[in-house]
Amino acid sequence: MTAVLKHELRSYFHSFTAYVFGAFLLAIVGFGAMLYNLQAAVSNFEYVLSFGSIVFVVIVPILTMRVIAEERKQKTDQLLYSLPITTTQVILGKYLALLAVYLIPLAVISIYPLIFAQFGDVYLPTSYGSLVAIFIMGAALVALGVFISSLTDNQGLAAGIGIAVILFNYYSVSLSEYVSSTAAGTVIALGVLVLALGALIRYLTRNEYLAYAVAFVLLAAICITGFVDPEAFEGLLPNIMRQLSLFERFNTFVSGVFDLTAIVYYLSVIVFFLFLSVQSLEKRRYH
Amino acid sequence: MIKVEHLTKYYGDFLAVDDLSFEIDEGHVYGFLGPNGAGKSTTMNMMTGCLSATSGRVEVGGFDLFEDADQAKKLIGYLPEQPPLYMNETPAEYLRFVGEAKGLRGAELERQIQAVIEQVRIAEVKNRRISALSKGYKQRVGIAQALLELTLKRASLEDIFLELTENGDPADQTPAGETTEEQEGEGA
Protein backbone atom coordinates (compact mmCIF):
# COMPACT_ATOMS: atom_id res chain seq x y z
CA MET A 1 0.00 0.00 0.00
CA THR A 2 2.84 2.40 0.76
CA ALA A 3 4.22 1.70 -2.71
CA VAL A 4 0.96 2.89 -4.26
CA LEU A 5 0.79 5.83 -1.86
CA LYS A 6 4.30 7.07 -2.68
CA HIS A 7 3.75 6.49 -6.37
CA GLU A 8 0.53 8.49 -6.42
CA LEU A 9 2.00 11.34 -4.38
CA ARG A 10 4.94 11.58 -6.73
CA SER A 11 2.66 11.74 -9.75
CA TYR A 12 0.41 14.39 -8.18
CA PHE A 13 3.31 16.65 -7.30
CA HIS A 14 5.12 16.18 -10.58
CA SER A 15 2.01 17.18 -12.47
CA PHE A 16 -0.29 20.15 -12.06
CA THR A 17 -2.97 18.39 -10.08
CA ALA A 18 -1.87 18.95 -6.51
CA TYR A 19 -0.86 22.55 -7.19
CA VAL A 20 -4.04 23.48 -9.04
CA PHE A 21 -6.20 21.93 -6.35
CA GLY A 22 -4.25 23.67 -3.61
CA ALA A 23 -4.25 26.96 -5.48
CA PHE A 24 -8.00 27.00 -5.97
CA LEU A 25 -8.73 26.04 -2.41
CA LEU A 26 -6.37 28.67 -1.03
CA ALA A 27 -7.70 31.26 -3.46
CA ILE A 28 -11.32 30.87 -2.51
CA VAL A 29 -10.68 30.57 1.22
CA GLY A 30 -8.37 33.57 1.01
CA PHE A 31 -11.01 35.50 -0.87
CA GLY A 32 -13.59 34.55 1.74
CA ALA A 33 -11.26 35.50 4.55
CA MET A 34 -10.76 38.88 2.96
CA LEU A 35 -14.51 39.42 2.61
CA TYR A 36 -15.51 38.24 6.05
CA ASN A 37 -12.58 38.68 8.37
CA LEU A 38 -10.86 41.70 6.85
CA GLN A 39 -13.47 43.69 4.97
CA ALA A 40 -16.43 43.06 7.21
CA ALA A 41 -14.26 42.61 10.29
CA VAL A 42 -16.17 39.55 11.37
CA SER A 43 -14.17 37.39 13.72
CA ASN A 44 -15.85 34.09 12.88
CA PHE A 45 -13.49 32.14 10.66
CA GLU A 46 -15.98 29.31 10.25
CA TYR A 47 -18.15 31.50 7.99
CA VAL A 48 -15.25 31.60 5.58
CA LEU A 49 -15.13 27.80 5.45
CA SER A 50 -18.84 27.65 4.83
CA PHE A 51 -18.49 30.21 2.08
CA GLY A 52 -15.55 28.38 0.53
CA SER A 53 -17.10 24.92 0.59
CA ILE A 54 -18.83 25.44 -2.75
CA VAL A 55 -15.44 25.17 -4.43
CA PHE A 56 -15.46 21.44 -3.65
CA VAL A 57 -18.11 21.02 -6.32
CA VAL A 58 -15.41 21.63 -8.91
CA ILE A 59 -12.04 20.85 -7.38
CA VAL A 60 -12.87 17.46 -5.90
CA PRO A 61 -14.02 15.91 -9.19
CA ILE A 62 -11.03 17.42 -10.95
CA LEU A 63 -8.69 16.04 -8.33
CA THR A 64 -10.22 12.57 -8.32
CA MET A 65 -11.24 12.09 -11.95
CA ARG A 66 -7.98 10.45 -12.88
CA VAL A 67 -7.57 8.16 -9.93
CA ILE A 68 -9.01 4.95 -11.33
CA ALA A 69 -10.24 6.01 -14.75
CA GLU A 70 -6.72 6.66 -15.99
CA GLU A 71 -5.47 3.26 -14.83
CA ARG A 72 -8.25 1.66 -16.83
CA LYS A 73 -7.59 3.78 -19.88
CA GLN A 74 -3.83 3.14 -19.94
CA LYS A 75 -4.32 -0.52 -19.06
CA THR A 76 -1.98 -0.10 -16.11
CA ASP A 77 -4.68 -1.70 -13.98
CA GLN A 78 -3.37 -4.94 -15.47
CA LEU A 79 -0.06 -4.22 -13.81
CA LEU A 80 -1.77 -3.57 -10.49
CA TYR A 81 -3.71 -6.81 -10.71
CA SER A 82 -0.57 -8.86 -11.34
CA LEU A 83 1.40 -7.31 -8.45
CA PRO A 84 1.29 -8.82 -4.96
CA ILE A 85 -1.00 -6.11 -3.61
CA THR A 86 -4.69 -6.41 -2.87
CA THR A 87 -7.30 -4.17 -4.44
CA THR A 88 -8.06 -2.76 -1.00
CA GLN A 89 -4.42 -1.73 -0.61
CA VAL A 90 -4.54 -0.05 -4.01
CA ILE A 91 -7.66 1.95 -3.15
CA LEU A 92 -6.38 2.88 0.31
CA GLY A 93 -3.00 3.95 -1.04
CA LYS A 94 -4.65 6.13 -3.67
CA TYR A 95 -7.14 7.56 -1.23
CA LEU A 96 -4.51 8.48 1.35
CA ALA A 97 -2.46 10.18 -1.35
CA LEU A 98 -5.51 12.26 -2.28
CA LEU A 99 -6.03 13.16 1.38
CA ALA A 100 -2.41 14.27 1.60
CA VAL A 101 -2.90 16.57 -1.40
CA TYR A 102 -5.97 17.96 0.36
CA LEU A 103 -4.22 18.37 3.72
CA ILE A 104 -1.45 20.61 2.45
CA PRO A 105 -3.51 23.68 1.53
CA LEU A 106 -5.69 22.95 4.55
CA ALA A 107 -2.62 23.09 6.78
CA VAL A 108 -1.88 26.55 5.42
CA ILE A 109 -5.49 27.58 5.99
CA SER A 110 -5.40 26.33 9.57
CA ILE A 111 -2.94 29.10 10.40
CA TYR A 112 -5.46 31.82 9.49
CA PRO A 113 -7.50 31.72 12.73
CA LEU A 114 -4.29 32.19 14.70
CA ILE A 115 -3.34 35.19 12.60
CA PHE A 116 -6.77 36.75 13.03
CA ALA A 117 -6.68 36.05 16.74
CA GLN A 118 -3.86 38.55 16.99
CA PHE A 119 -6.15 41.30 15.81
CA GLY A 120 -9.50 40.46 17.27
CA ASP A 121 -11.58 38.21 19.42
CA VAL A 122 -11.62 34.92 17.56
CA TYR A 123 -13.23 31.98 19.27
CA LEU A 124 -10.64 29.36 18.39
CA PRO A 125 -12.46 26.15 19.37
CA THR A 126 -15.23 26.82 16.84
CA SER A 127 -12.76 27.77 14.16
CA TYR A 128 -10.67 24.67 14.62
CA GLY A 129 -13.69 22.45 15.14
CA SER A 130 -14.96 23.69 11.79
CA LEU A 131 -11.58 23.05 10.22
CA VAL A 132 -11.62 19.44 11.39
CA ALA A 133 -15.17 19.12 10.07
CA ILE A 134 -14.32 20.60 6.69
CA PHE A 135 -11.39 18.22 6.44
CA ILE A 136 -13.59 15.21 7.07
CA MET A 137 -16.37 16.51 4.84
CA GLY A 138 -13.83 17.05 2.07
CA ALA A 139 -12.48 13.56 2.72
CA ALA A 140 -15.99 12.16 2.26
CA LEU A 141 -16.40 14.04 -1.03
CA VAL A 142 -13.01 12.71 -2.16
CA ALA A 143 -14.13 9.15 -1.38
CA LEU A 144 -17.20 9.79 -3.49
CA GLY A 145 -14.94 11.09 -6.26
CA VAL A 146 -12.79 7.96 -6.11
CA PHE A 147 -15.87 5.80 -6.51
CA ILE A 148 -17.12 7.81 -9.48
CA SER A 149 -13.69 7.52 -11.10
CA SER A 150 -13.84 3.75 -10.68
CA LEU A 151 -17.03 3.54 -12.72
CA THR A 152 -15.52 4.57 -16.03
CA ASP A 153 -12.33 4.71 -18.09
CA ASN A 154 -13.06 8.24 -19.21
CA GLN A 155 -11.67 10.98 -16.96
CA GLY A 156 -13.90 13.67 -18.41
CA LEU A 157 -17.01 11.63 -17.77
CA ALA A 158 -15.86 10.95 -14.22
CA ALA A 159 -15.33 14.67 -13.67
CA GLY A 160 -18.71 15.51 -15.19
CA ILE A 161 -20.61 12.99 -13.11
CA GLY A 162 -18.69 14.09 -10.04
CA ILE A 163 -19.57 17.74 -10.55
CA ALA A 164 -23.23 16.88 -11.15
CA VAL A 165 -23.49 14.68 -8.07
CA ILE A 166 -21.70 17.09 -5.72
CA LEU A 167 -23.62 20.06 -7.09
CA PHE A 168 -26.86 18.22 -6.47
CA ASN A 169 -25.66 17.41 -2.98
CA TYR A 170 -24.78 21.06 -2.40
CA TYR A 171 -28.27 22.24 -3.30
CA SER A 172 -30.01 19.21 -1.90
CA VAL A 173 -31.51 21.07 1.03
CA SER A 174 -32.82 23.96 -1.09
CA LEU A 175 -34.19 21.52 -3.62
CA SER A 176 -35.97 19.58 -0.90
CA GLU A 177 -38.28 22.57 -0.46
CA TYR A 178 -39.66 22.12 -3.95
CA VAL A 179 -40.06 18.42 -3.83
CA SER A 180 -43.39 16.80 -3.03
CA SER A 181 -43.88 16.31 0.67
CA THR A 182 -47.05 14.29 0.31
CA ALA A 183 -47.08 10.60 1.01
CA ALA A 184 -48.05 9.78 -2.56
CA GLY A 185 -45.22 11.84 -3.96
CA THR A 186 -42.74 10.13 -1.69
CA VAL A 187 -43.94 6.67 -2.61
CA ILE A 188 -43.66 7.40 -6.32
CA ALA A 189 -40.19 8.91 -5.91
CA LEU A 190 -39.02 5.98 -3.80
CA GLY A 191 -40.44 3.58 -6.34
CA VAL A 192 -38.49 5.24 -9.13
CA LEU A 193 -35.34 5.18 -6.99
CA VAL A 194 -35.75 1.48 -6.28
CA LEU A 195 -36.09 0.76 -10.00
CA ALA A 196 -32.98 2.84 -10.69
CA LEU A 197 -31.14 0.97 -7.96
CA GLY A 198 -32.20 -2.32 -9.50
CA ALA A 199 -30.85 -1.21 -12.87
CA LEU A 200 -27.57 -0.15 -11.25
CA ILE A 201 -27.21 -3.48 -9.48
CA ARG A 202 -27.87 -5.29 -12.72
CA TYR A 203 -25.19 -3.23 -14.47
CA LEU A 204 -22.63 -3.71 -11.73
CA THR A 205 -23.17 -7.38 -11.03
CA ARG A 206 -24.58 -8.55 -14.36
CA ASN A 207 -26.87 -10.71 -12.30
CA GLU A 208 -30.47 -10.17 -13.34
CA TYR A 209 -31.93 -12.28 -10.55
CA LEU A 210 -30.15 -10.31 -7.87
CA ALA A 211 -31.37 -7.04 -9.36
CA TYR A 212 -34.96 -8.20 -9.57
CA ALA A 213 -34.80 -9.69 -6.09
CA VAL A 214 -33.49 -6.50 -4.50
CA ALA A 215 -35.98 -4.32 -6.37
CA PHE A 216 -38.84 -6.64 -5.45
CA VAL A 217 -37.93 -6.76 -1.78
CA LEU A 218 -37.59 -2.97 -1.55
CA LEU A 219 -40.85 -2.34 -3.40
CA ALA A 220 -42.60 -4.82 -1.16
CA ALA A 221 -41.17 -3.04 1.89
CA ILE A 222 -42.53 0.26 0.59
CA CYS A 223 -45.98 -1.24 -0.01
CA ILE A 224 -46.12 -2.86 3.40
CA THR A 225 -45.05 0.33 5.13
CA GLY A 226 -47.66 2.15 3.10
CA PHE A 227 -50.44 -0.09 4.40
CA VAL A 228 -49.23 -0.35 7.95
CA ASP A 229 -48.26 3.25 8.56
CA PRO A 230 -49.02 5.67 5.73
CA GLU A 231 -47.97 8.67 7.77
CA ALA A 232 -44.40 7.46 7.70
CA PHE A 233 -44.20 8.72 4.15
CA GLU A 234 -45.38 12.21 4.91
CA GLY A 235 -42.55 14.55 4.19
CA LEU A 236 -40.14 11.65 3.88
CA LEU A 237 -38.71 12.66 0.54
CA PRO A 238 -37.65 16.17 1.58
CA ASN A 239 -36.32 14.63 4.77
CA ILE A 240 -34.22 12.12 2.88
CA MET A 241 -32.83 14.84 0.67
CA ARG A 242 -31.88 16.88 3.70
CA GLN A 243 -30.21 13.88 5.33
CA LEU A 244 -28.15 13.13 2.25
CA SER A 245 -26.60 16.55 2.09
CA LEU A 246 -23.00 16.45 3.25
CA PHE A 247 -22.77 20.24 3.23
CA GLU A 248 -25.79 20.71 5.49
CA ARG A 249 -24.19 18.79 8.33
CA PHE A 250 -21.26 21.14 8.27
CA ASN A 251 -23.50 24.01 9.36
CA THR A 252 -23.84 22.69 12.89
CA PHE A 253 -20.09 23.11 13.26
CA VAL A 254 -20.38 26.67 12.05
CA SER A 255 -22.91 27.32 14.81
CA GLY A 256 -20.32 26.22 17.31
CA VAL A 257 -21.48 22.69 18.00
CA PHE A 258 -18.96 19.91 17.50
CA ASP A 259 -21.45 17.40 16.18
CA LEU A 260 -20.06 13.90 16.69
CA THR A 261 -22.91 12.27 14.79
CA ALA A 262 -21.93 14.29 11.74
CA ILE A 263 -18.35 13.03 12.05
CA VAL A 264 -19.63 9.46 12.24
CA TYR A 265 -21.84 10.17 9.23
CA TYR A 266 -18.88 11.43 7.20
CA LEU A 267 -16.74 8.48 8.23
CA SER A 268 -19.52 6.10 7.18
CA VAL A 269 -19.73 7.82 3.81
CA ILE A 270 -15.97 7.39 3.40
CA VAL A 271 -16.06 3.69 4.25
CA PHE A 272 -19.11 3.15 2.05
CA PHE A 273 -17.66 4.70 -1.08
CA LEU A 274 -14.19 3.22 -0.63
CA PHE A 275 -15.79 -0.18 -0.23
CA LEU A 276 -17.78 0.34 -3.42
CA SER A 277 -14.61 1.46 -5.19
CA VAL A 278 -12.85 -1.77 -4.22
CA GLN A 279 -15.82 -3.73 -5.52
CA SER A 280 -15.79 -1.76 -8.73
CA LEU A 281 -12.11 -2.51 -9.28
CA GLU A 282 -12.59 -6.18 -8.44
CA LYS A 283 -15.49 -6.39 -10.84
CA ARG A 284 -13.16 -5.76 -13.75
CA ARG A 285 -11.31 -8.91 -12.85
CA TYR A 286 -14.47 -10.92 -12.90
CA HIS A 287 -15.62 -9.80 -16.32
CA MET B 1 7.06 -24.75 -11.47
CA ILE B 2 3.63 -23.73 -12.70
CA LYS B 3 0.62 -25.95 -12.66
CA VAL B 4 -2.60 -25.18 -14.43
CA GLU B 5 -5.45 -27.52 -13.62
CA HIS B 6 -8.80 -27.63 -15.39
CA LEU B 7 -8.80 -23.94 -16.09
CA THR B 8 -12.07 -22.77 -17.61
CA LYS B 9 -13.32 -19.31 -18.50
CA TYR B 10 -16.75 -18.27 -19.68
CA TYR B 11 -17.42 -14.74 -20.86
CA GLY B 12 -21.16 -14.85 -20.26
CA ASP B 13 -22.21 -17.72 -22.49
CA PHE B 14 -19.05 -17.72 -24.56
CA LEU B 15 -16.51 -20.40 -23.65
CA ALA B 16 -13.07 -18.85 -24.03
CA VAL B 17 -10.93 -21.44 -22.24
CA ASP B 18 -12.15 -25.02 -21.95
CA ASP B 19 -10.74 -27.21 -19.18
CA LEU B 20 -7.09 -26.39 -19.80
CA SER B 21 -4.40 -28.25 -17.88
CA PHE B 22 -0.62 -28.19 -18.18
CA GLU B 23 2.59 -28.08 -16.20
CA ILE B 24 5.61 -25.87 -16.69
CA ASP B 25 8.97 -26.88 -15.28
CA GLU B 26 11.68 -24.69 -13.84
CA GLY B 27 14.55 -23.63 -15.96
CA HIS B 28 12.77 -23.96 -19.29
CA VAL B 29 11.56 -21.54 -21.89
CA TYR B 30 8.13 -22.27 -23.31
CA GLY B 31 6.21 -20.87 -26.23
CA PHE B 32 2.45 -20.63 -26.03
CA LEU B 33 1.14 -20.60 -29.56
CA GLY B 34 -2.28 -20.58 -31.08
CA PRO B 35 -4.41 -18.89 -33.74
CA ASN B 36 -6.12 -15.59 -33.02
CA GLY B 37 -8.99 -15.91 -30.60
CA ALA B 38 -7.75 -19.22 -29.23
CA GLY B 39 -7.73 -17.91 -25.67
CA LYS B 40 -4.00 -17.36 -25.14
CA SER B 41 -4.35 -13.88 -23.65
CA THR B 42 -7.26 -15.01 -21.52
CA THR B 43 -5.22 -17.90 -20.17
CA MET B 44 -2.23 -15.69 -19.49
CA ASN B 45 -4.41 -13.14 -17.72
CA MET B 46 -5.82 -15.85 -15.54
CA MET B 47 -2.38 -17.21 -14.75
CA THR B 48 -1.17 -13.81 -13.55
CA GLY B 49 -4.18 -12.77 -11.50
CA CYS B 50 -5.53 -10.18 -13.91
CA LEU B 51 -8.66 -12.18 -14.61
CA SER B 52 -10.66 -14.54 -12.49
CA ALA B 53 -11.31 -18.07 -13.70
CA THR B 54 -14.79 -19.53 -13.94
CA SER B 55 -13.31 -22.72 -12.52
CA GLY B 56 -9.96 -24.40 -12.18
CA ARG B 57 -6.73 -23.87 -10.35
CA VAL B 58 -3.41 -22.19 -10.98
CA GLU B 59 -0.39 -22.99 -8.85
CA VAL B 60 2.79 -20.96 -9.04
CA GLY B 61 5.85 -22.17 -7.16
CA GLY B 62 3.65 -24.26 -4.90
CA PHE B 63 1.29 -21.39 -4.05
CA ASP B 64 -2.30 -21.34 -5.22
CA LEU B 65 -2.79 -18.16 -7.22
CA PHE B 66 -6.31 -17.62 -5.97
CA GLU B 67 -5.83 -18.61 -2.33
CA ASP B 68 -2.29 -17.33 -1.70
CA ALA B 69 -2.29 -14.51 -4.19
CA ASP B 70 0.39 -12.48 -2.41
CA GLN B 71 2.93 -15.31 -2.27
CA ALA B 72 2.22 -16.52 -5.77
CA LYS B 73 2.39 -13.06 -7.35
CA LYS B 74 5.76 -12.37 -5.77
CA LEU B 75 7.09 -15.08 -8.08
CA ILE B 76 5.52 -13.63 -11.21
CA GLY B 77 6.67 -10.98 -13.60
CA TYR B 78 4.13 -10.20 -16.31
CA LEU B 79 4.59 -8.34 -19.54
CA PRO B 80 1.37 -8.21 -21.58
CA GLU B 81 1.30 -7.39 -25.28
CA GLN B 82 0.92 -3.73 -24.44
CA PRO B 83 3.37 -2.94 -21.65
CA PRO B 84 1.44 -1.41 -18.74
CA LEU B 85 3.50 1.75 -18.46
CA TYR B 86 2.83 5.01 -16.68
CA MET B 87 3.58 7.47 -19.43
CA ASN B 88 4.39 10.48 -17.30
CA GLU B 89 7.17 8.83 -15.34
CA THR B 90 10.74 7.93 -16.03
CA PRO B 91 11.76 4.27 -16.23
CA ALA B 92 13.69 4.70 -12.99
CA GLU B 93 10.60 5.96 -11.11
CA TYR B 94 8.43 3.28 -12.68
CA LEU B 95 10.80 0.50 -11.73
CA ARG B 96 11.02 1.88 -8.21
CA PHE B 97 7.23 1.67 -7.90
CA VAL B 98 7.03 -1.88 -9.22
CA GLY B 99 9.94 -2.95 -7.03
CA GLU B 100 8.34 -1.50 -3.91
CA ALA B 101 5.01 -3.09 -4.78
CA LYS B 102 6.81 -6.42 -5.09
CA GLY B 103 8.14 -5.96 -1.58
CA LEU B 104 11.68 -4.73 -2.25
CA ARG B 105 13.16 -2.05 -0.02
CA GLY B 106 16.29 -0.01 0.53
CA ALA B 107 19.62 -1.23 -0.80
CA GLU B 108 18.15 -4.41 -2.27
CA LEU B 109 15.63 -2.33 -4.23
CA GLU B 110 18.37 -0.09 -5.61
CA ARG B 111 20.51 -3.05 -6.56
CA GLN B 112 17.72 -4.80 -8.41
CA ILE B 113 16.70 -1.66 -10.26
CA GLN B 114 20.29 -1.19 -11.40
CA ALA B 115 20.54 -4.84 -12.37
CA VAL B 116 17.44 -4.88 -14.56
CA ILE B 117 18.33 -1.55 -16.15
CA GLU B 118 21.66 -3.02 -17.20
CA GLN B 119 20.12 -6.27 -18.28
CA VAL B 120 17.68 -4.73 -20.73
CA ARG B 121 20.08 -1.95 -21.65
CA ILE B 122 18.00 1.14 -20.92
CA ALA B 123 20.65 2.96 -18.90
CA GLU B 124 20.81 5.83 -21.42
CA VAL B 125 17.09 6.55 -21.15
CA LYS B 126 16.35 5.70 -17.55
CA ASN B 127 15.68 9.32 -16.63
CA ARG B 128 13.65 10.21 -19.66
CA ARG B 129 9.85 10.27 -19.59
CA ILE B 130 8.42 7.00 -20.81
CA SER B 131 6.08 8.83 -23.17
CA ALA B 132 9.16 10.17 -24.97
CA LEU B 133 10.70 6.76 -25.56
CA SER B 134 10.55 4.77 -28.77
CA LYS B 135 8.37 1.70 -28.91
CA GLY B 136 11.40 -0.54 -28.63
CA TYR B 137 12.60 1.17 -25.49
CA LYS B 138 9.12 1.10 -24.02
CA GLN B 139 9.04 -2.64 -24.60
CA ARG B 140 12.38 -2.96 -22.80
CA VAL B 141 11.07 -1.01 -19.82
CA GLY B 142 8.18 -3.45 -19.75
CA ILE B 143 10.61 -6.37 -19.73
CA ALA B 144 12.64 -4.70 -16.98
CA GLN B 145 9.55 -4.42 -14.80
CA ALA B 146 8.81 -8.10 -15.28
CA LEU B 147 12.36 -9.04 -14.35
CA LEU B 148 12.41 -7.22 -11.02
CA GLU B 149 12.81 -9.45 -8.02
CA LEU B 150 13.65 -12.31 -10.34
CA THR B 151 17.03 -11.36 -11.77
CA LEU B 152 18.98 -12.74 -8.89
CA LYS B 153 16.90 -15.84 -8.55
CA ARG B 154 18.08 -17.71 -11.55
CA ALA B 155 18.77 -20.84 -9.60
CA SER B 156 15.34 -20.82 -8.03
CA LEU B 157 11.91 -20.35 -9.49
CA GLU B 158 11.62 -17.98 -12.34
CA ASP B 159 8.35 -17.49 -14.06
CA ILE B 160 8.03 -14.78 -16.57
CA PHE B 161 5.34 -14.49 -19.14
CA LEU B 162 5.97 -12.34 -22.13
CA GLU B 163 3.64 -11.61 -24.95
CA LEU B 164 5.66 -10.51 -27.88
CA THR B 165 3.93 -9.12 -30.89
CA GLU B 166 5.13 -9.53 -34.41
CA ASN B 167 5.82 -5.80 -34.39
CA GLY B 168 8.35 -6.10 -31.60
CA ASP B 169 11.89 -5.25 -32.57
CA PRO B 170 13.70 -8.58 -32.97
CA ALA B 171 16.83 -7.02 -31.56
CA ASP B 172 14.99 -6.44 -28.30
CA GLN B 173 14.34 -10.09 -27.87
CA THR B 174 17.96 -10.97 -27.29
CA PRO B 175 18.34 -9.48 -23.81
CA ALA B 176 15.32 -11.54 -22.80
CA GLY B 177 16.77 -14.64 -24.41
CA GLU B 178 19.94 -14.38 -22.40
CA THR B 179 18.21 -15.09 -19.12
CA THR B 180 16.30 -18.18 -18.21
CA GLU B 181 12.66 -17.36 -18.61
CA GLU B 182 9.53 -18.32 -20.39
CA GLN B 183 8.36 -16.49 -23.41
CA GLU B 184 5.07 -16.54 -25.15
CA GLY B 185 4.80 -15.80 -28.81
CA GLU B 186 1.64 -14.60 -30.50
CA GLY B 187 0.36 -15.80 -33.81
CA ALA B 188 -0.17 -19.16 -35.44
Side-chain angles (χ1 to χ4, degrees):
Chain A
M1 183 188 82
T2 44
V4 175
L5 173 57
K6 287 192 330 195
H7 181 241
E8 293 287 306
L9 280 178
R10 210 174 294 134
S11 93
Y12 285 135
F13 287 102
H14 280 181
S15 71
F16 285 113
T17 328
Y19 304 107
V20 168
F21 178 84
F24 270 88
L25 189 56
L26 286 171
I28 198 156
V29 173
F31 182 61
M34 184 203 73
L35 278 183
Y36 282 88
N37 300 124
L38 298 180
Q39 194 87 304
V42 166
S43 64
N44 305 63
F45 184 66
E46 49 278 9
Y47 295 165
V48 175
L49 294 177
S50 189
F51 168 80
S53 63
I54 190 170
V55 79
F56 287 135
V57 172
V58 172
I59 60 177
V60 168
I62 296 206
L63 178 68
T64 56
M65 65 185 187
R66 264 188 30 185
V67 141
I68 314 279
E70 191 65 8
E71 303 271 2
R72 288 232 173 118
K73 186 83 177 282
Q74 302 271 32
K75 306 275 199 284
T76 46
D77 56 352
Q78 256 190 322
L79 173 65
L80 294 177
Y81 288 134
S82 69
L83 288 173
I85 42 179
T86 65
T87 316
T88 309
Q89 286 172 319
V90 170
I91 294 287
L92 279 181
K94 284 173 175 279
Y95 182 64
L96 290 176
L98 287 168
L99 284 192
V101 171
Y102 177 34
L103 268 176
I104 292 175
L106 210 58
V108 174
I109 290 168
S110 59
I111 302 175
Y112 297 3
L114 286 176
I115 298 177
F116 295 132
Q118 309 299 319
F119 300 99
D121 195 13
V122 177
Y123 191 54
L124 292 178
T126 309
S127 300
Y128 283 104
S130 305
L131 265 165
V132 169
I134 202 109
F135 169 60
I136 303 192
M137 186 187 91
L141 289 171
V142 168
L144 172 62
V146 169
F147 171 60
I148 293 176
S149 181
S150 75
L151 292 176
T152 171
D153 62 356
N154 185 335
Q155 288 187 46
L157 187 61
I161 296 177
I163 292 177
V165 171
I166 300 182
L167 192 63
F168 177 75
N169 200 278
Y170 188 77
Y171 286 113
S172 182
V173 174
S174 319
L175 287 173
S176 72
E177 316 258 320
Y178 300 105
V179 144
S180 166
S181 57
T182 65
T186 305
V187 168
I188 295 174
L190 284 179
V192 170
L193 280 174
V194 166
L195 290 175
L197 182 66
L200 185 68
I201 292 178
R202 180 157 178 279
Y203 169 68
L204 286 177
T205 63
R206 273 172 225 246
N207 187 340
E208 289 200 8
Y209 300 115
L210 180 66
Y212 284 133
V214 171
F216 181 71
V217 166
L218 287 176
L219 284 172
I222 295 174
C223 289
I224 294 173
T225 324
F227 283 121
V228 168
D229 183 14
E231 270 117 47
F233 288 122
E234 288 286 323
L236 186 63
L237 192 57
N239 201 18
I240 291 179
M241 287 180 73
R242 265 192 297 271
Q243 293 295 325
L244 285 179
S245 171
L246 290 168
F247 294 88
E248 178 63 20
R249 289 183 190 256
F250 179 66
N251 289 335
T252 38
F253 293 90
V254 173
S255 330
V257 178
F258 194 82
D259 188 2
L260 217 53
T261 59
I263 301 284
V264 171
Y265 177 83
Y266 288 140
L267 290 175
S268 318
V269 169
I270 293 174
V271 169
F272 179 65
F273 283 113
L274 289 184
F275 171 73
L276 284 185
S277 304
V278 170
Q279 296 310 309
S280 198
L281 218 50
E282 280 288 313
K283 170 195 162 232
R284 185 122 197 289
R285 255 199 249 217
Y286 282 81
H287 246 204
Chain B
M1 163 75 100
I2 302 173
K3 274 193 223 167
V4 170
E5 289 165 11
H6 303 292
L7 204 58
T8 308
K9 179 70 181 176
Y10 276 95
Y11 285 117
D13 287 331
F14 174 66
L15 182 60
V17 176
D18 185 7
D19 196 19
L20 183 62
S21 302
F22 58 84
E23 262 182 39
I24 296 184
D25 289 328
E26 283 181 45
H28 291 274
V29 178
Y30 289 75
F32 192 39
L33 306 173
N36 293 333
K40 302 183 296 299
S41 288
T42 305
T43 305
M44 296 281 273
N45 280 333
M46 285 194 283
M47 288 167 81
T48 52
C50 298
L51 200 59
S52 69
T54 308
S55 66
R57 211 173 151 266
V58 177
E59 199 185 275
V60 179
F63 297 107
D64 187 312
L65 185 68
F66 302 128
E67 305 291 313
D68 291 314
D70 259 16
Q71 303 284 56
K73 287 180 186 177
K74 283 202 159 91
L75 299 169
I76 296 176
Y78 183 36
L79 176 63
E81 182 171 341
Q82 233 198 334
L85 303 169
Y86 289 104
M87 291 299 165
N88 290 329
E89 301 180 357
T90 65
E93 290 166 349
Y94 175 67
L95 292 174
R96 172 152 296 119
F97 166 58
V98 178
E100 279 180 2
K102 284 191 174 173
L104 297 171
R105 293 285 182 270
E108 178 65 16
L109 174 65
E110 297 303 323
R111 193 154 42 90
Q112 296 231 10
I113 294 177
Q114 264 313 111
V116 298
I117 287 179
E118 274 160 29
Q119 206 162 15
V120 303
R121 299 196 269 248
I122 53 171
E124 318 87 71
V125 297
K126 71 172 183 208
N127 289 322
R128 205 183 294 175
R129 268 182 152 202
I130 293 179
S131 56
L133 299 180
S134 69
K135 179 147 188 216
Y137 270 127
K138 282 183 182 150
Q139 200 80 11
R140 289 198 213 177
V141 174
I143 297 176
Q145 160 276 125
L147 287 176
L148 273 174
E149 178 69 340
L150 304 173
T151 38
L152 304 175
K153 277 198 191 150
R154 251 173 253 197
S156 59
L157 290 161
E158 271 183 345
D159 307 272
I160 299 181
F161 305 91
L162 299 175
E163 283 186 55
L164 301 170
T165 67
E166 293 133 314
N167 299 326
D169 183 349
D172 289 342
Q173 296 178 16
T174 31
E178 279 162 7
T179 59
T180 320
E181 61 202 0
E182 287 149 287
Q183 298 178 30
E184 192 225 64
E186 282 258 331

